[in-house]
Amino acid sequence: MTTSITGGAGARPAAHLTDIDLRGADLSGRTFTGAGLAGADLRGADLRGARFERCDLRLADLRGARLDEASFALVDAACALLGDVRAPGVSMWHVELPEADLAGADLTEARLRRCGLERADLTSTDLAGAHLVHSDCSDAVLRDAHLARTTTLGTRFVGADLAGARAFATCREVVAEVLSRETRDDTDLAMACAAVVADRRRCYAEWAAYLDDHPAAADLARRTFDRYPGSGCREALRDARRS
């Protein structure tokens, strides 16, 4: 496999970059192909528009880096440190980020597809307008994360910490996950929760009508959404009943 960095002064070999110190470096627009960057120090680096393809970024430190419109494909970034990165519009495809630290990151309008975020820390991460699809956020920490207009199609949130998560009323998979935690052994209620995801034609107006005819499910929704006051779910149901 070819291993190189392109851009700037041209193509250069990139095989021996493990633990390299690139703090504050201007690497904007560069392409990293097959680069071994495990443990690299990229704190505060300018990586706007950079491309990472088939790279090893395990344990790399990118805290405070600029990743606007950067792209990552087939990258292993397990346990990487990405806290407080500015990455609006970043694209990630088949990126492994288990136990990575993305606390406080700006991922607005990001496109994350088929990514592994198991046990990752996304505390206070801004995912507004992002596409977080067909990914795995099992046991991830999303405390106080901002999820307004986030698309979560096909993404798993089993065991995720969603305390204080905000504006996830339109994130079907998140809504279904928090509801399912309240169903215990009630099969009928569990099926009602599953319907939230299964029938994507249903919106809050249809759901409000269903809850009006099913008091147990309505009580479940009330109890659940009271636990997540910033989710916007209570308001969405209220507005649906008024319309």
Side-chain angles (χ1 to χ4, degrees):
M1 178 177 67
T2 301
T3 304
S4 65
I5 303 174
T6 59
R12 290 176 288 169
H16 306 291
L17 299 177
T18 300
D19 296 321
I20 192 171
D21 188 344
L22 292 168
R23 283 177 292 178
D26 184 357
L27 299 167
S28 56
R30 301 292 181 91
T31 296
F32 297 80
T33 304
L37 288 156
D41 191 343
L42 290 153
R43 284 177 290 174
D46 186 350
L47 292 160
R48 287 176 290 181
R51 297 176 61 188
F52 294 83
E53 301 173 357
R54 303 188 306 278
C55 293
D56 184 355
L57 281 164
R58 289 174 297 170
L59 294 168
D61 192 344
L62 292 95
R63 286 175 292 178
R66 293 290 302 270
L67 293 166
D68 315 48
E69 303 295 333
S71 66
F72 298 76
L74 301 169
V75 168
D76 187 350
C79 302
L81 301 176
L82 293 128
D84 297 316
V85 297
R86 293 190 60 189
V90 70
S91 175
M92 294 186 179
W93 179 71
H94 280 284
V95 176
E96 294 303 318
L97 289 155
E99 300 185 28
D101 179 5
L102 294 109
D106 177 359
L107 297 177
T108 53
E109 307 293 335
R111 299 176 300 282
L112 285 73
R113 293 161 291 179
R114 302 192 182 282
C115 293
L117 289 149
E118 303 94 324
R119 303 175 302 285
D121 187 355
L122 293 121
T123 302
S124 298
T125 297
D126 192 349
L127 286 155
H131 285 253
L132 176 59
V133 299
H134 300 296
S135 296
D136 193 347
C137 290
S138 298
D139 299 312
V141 179
L142 289 113
R143 282 180 169 264
D144 302 312
H146 187 209
L147 296 164
R149 309 181 316 282
T150 304
T151 300
T152 56
L153 177 66
T155 293
R156 288 167 49 85
F157 292 92
V158 177
D161 184 349
L162 293 154
R166 295 173 288 136
F168 62 73
T170 59
C171 303
R172 288 179 182 267
E173 286 71 16
V174 179
V175 173
E177 172 61 25
V178 298
L179 286 170
S180 68
R181 296 175 185 181
E182 300 291 329
T183 59
R184 298 183 177 89
D185 298 323
D186 192 317
T187 303
D188 291 338
L189 288 177
M191 291 179 64
C193 293
V196 174
V197 174
D199 189 353
R200 303 193 76 84
R201 296 169 300 176
R202 291 189 179 186
C203 294
Y204 276 94
E206 291 79 10
W207 197 28
Y210 173 86
L211 293 177
D212 288 341
D213 292 333
H214 297 80
D219 184 60
L220 168 73
R222 179 189 56 75
R223 293 197 316 269
T224 301
F225 298 152
D226 282 348
R227 296 178 186 272
Y228 302 93
S231 69
C233 295
R234 291 182 304 188
E235 292 78 9
L237 276 175
R238 180 195 62 206
D239 293 344
R241 287 191 172 99
R242 288 176 176 175
S243 60

